[in-house]
Amino acid sequence: MARGHSHGETGRGLVVLKGQAGRAGVVWLVGAGPGDPDLLTVKALRLLQAADVVVHDRLTPRPILDLAAPGARLIDVGKRKSRHTLPQDGINQLLVGLAREGLKVVRLKGGDPFMFGRGGEELEALRAAGIEAHVVPGVTAALAAAAGAGAPLTHRGLAQAVTFVTGHAAAGAEPDLDWTALARTNHTVAIYMGLSTAPGIAARLIAAGRSPLTPVAVVENASLPDERRLVTTLSALGDSVAGLDGPALLIVGEVAALAKADLARHLGAADETRVGVR
Ligand code: SAH
């Protein structure tokens, strides 16, 4: 249905026309980046400052929320893996309801809304309800992790491709991925939500032909003050990540060797498989 068509129809939620913004609410799905407020986009900052209400997850750092306008209402929908305080349907309905009250809603999503963030589902629900919705991209965790570790995701001679995958799967199992494709050399695999399944993922990659000595950089809390990085190998990955519990990104591939070299130089670290810095 044509937006910007000025025939004055309010559409009762079917057609939301520009120029009636005083009455029709709008939802912005905004990438909050990996945690450091300085990694918000200027657009995200402007929207935060203009929002009537900010809907955020439990892990959204306080310094980012503090950028919202003083009068803005903050709603924590408290999502955490296997401990949802509000199920996705509830979040979708909340966003629709707030927009129908005529509010300017910022739905803050960690990293980028469309990267393993269920932003697609929220956008679909908003569209289905006839709510005006927009998406603002954000710095996704893999990019912040690569920057923090000093390991480019692609690099001449080391990686001509990068694949973003989720390590999340039903309890205890590895996700259903194309392991043969992921095991190709000169190819980086950036794994989200992969801490608990790391041992299984490593085993699958090795079984599919990736060398057990392939370097892996693990970055926990990328871009945050408590960022921790370690460099290990595929065969030692499971042991190396035991004990990490913050959000962490696994960078598997030849490029991770660059992180190792970089950290070792700064640290003069004795422990080659488990190097934490900051
Ligand atoms: N939409 C987000 C990803 C959501 S899935 C994005 O684009 O980044 C949640 C996973 O993202 C976590 O399990 C972790 O793997 C990763 N992640 C999010 N923030 C992170 C951070 N600051 N450091 C490392 N990994 C992070």
Side-chain angles (χ1 to χ4, degrees):
M1 302 279 291
R3 182 173 287 158
H5 227 241
S6 274
H7 49 69
E9 180 187 339
T10 58
R12 289 164 46 100
L14 279 176
V15 188
V16 179
L17 298 173
K18 284 223 165 103
Q20 298 178 333
R23 291 195 286 138
V26 52
V27 178
W28 299 80
L29 301 176
V30 176
D36 178 353
D38 284 355
L39 291 176
L40 284 168
T41 61
V42 174
K43 188 161 189 169
L45 176 61
R46 287 197 179 131
L47 287 166
L48 269 175
Q49 292 169 339
D52 297 315
V53 49
V54 176
V55 178
H56 65 91
D57 296 334
R58 197 182 63 82
L59 290 177
T60 309
R62 186 36 63 181
I64 289 182
L65 296 176
D66 286 346
L67 296 169
R73 196 166 129 210
L74 302 184
I75 301 177
D76 179 356
V77 288
K79 276 183 33 177
R80 206 193 179 182
K81 196 177 62 172
S82 68
R83 227 192 88 203
H84 293 197
T85 48
L86 195 55
Q88 189 62 47
D89 258 5
I91 296 173
N92 297 347
Q93 290 319 309
L94 174 69
L95 296 175
V96 168
L98 291 168
R100 286 198 172 139
E101 286 175 38
L103 298 170
K104 282 178 283 182
V105 183
V106 162
R107 167 63 172 130
L108 267 187
K109 315 272 304 171
D112 181 86
F114 280 175
M115 191 70 98
F116 305 123
R118 306 189 72 170
E121 292 169 43
E122 292 177 14
L123 183 61
E124 274 180 6
L126 291 163
R127 280 179 177 160
I131 305 293
E132 180 180 345
H134 306 274
V135 180
V136 180
V139 175
T140 190
L143 304 184
L153 296 177
T154 66
H155 196 62
R156 254 156 73 102
L158 288 183
Q160 285 77 50
V162 54
T163 305
F164 301 94
V165 304
T166 172
H168 182 65
E174 308 83 58
D176 184 21
L177 297 170
D178 181 348
W179 301 105
T180 307
L182 297 179
R184 275 180 290 135
T185 51
N186 296 324
H187 168 216
T188 306
V189 186
I191 305 172
Y192 291 70
M193 295 171 277
L195 269 192
S196 57
T197 48
I201 288 173
R204 292 288 189 141
L205 286 172
I206 291 169
R210 197 110 197 203
S211 163
L213 296 178
T214 305
V216 183
V218 181
V219 186
E220 185 189 39
N221 294 316
S223 87
L224 289 161
D226 51 354
E227 174 174 319
R228 284 198 294 175
R229 290 158 274 171
L230 65 90
V231 182
T232 182
T233 60
L234 212 43
S235 59
L237 179 63
D239 289 341
S240 301
V241 300
L244 296 189
D245 62 354
L249 207 291
L250 317 181
I251 301 174
V252 179
E254 292 73 14
V255 292
L258 298 175
K260 185 175 184 174
D262 188 48
L263 299 179
R265 194 174 60 238
H266 288 306
L267 281 179
D271 182 349
E272 287 287 304
T273 58
R274 178 144 198 176
V275 184
V277 289
R278 188 79 188 183

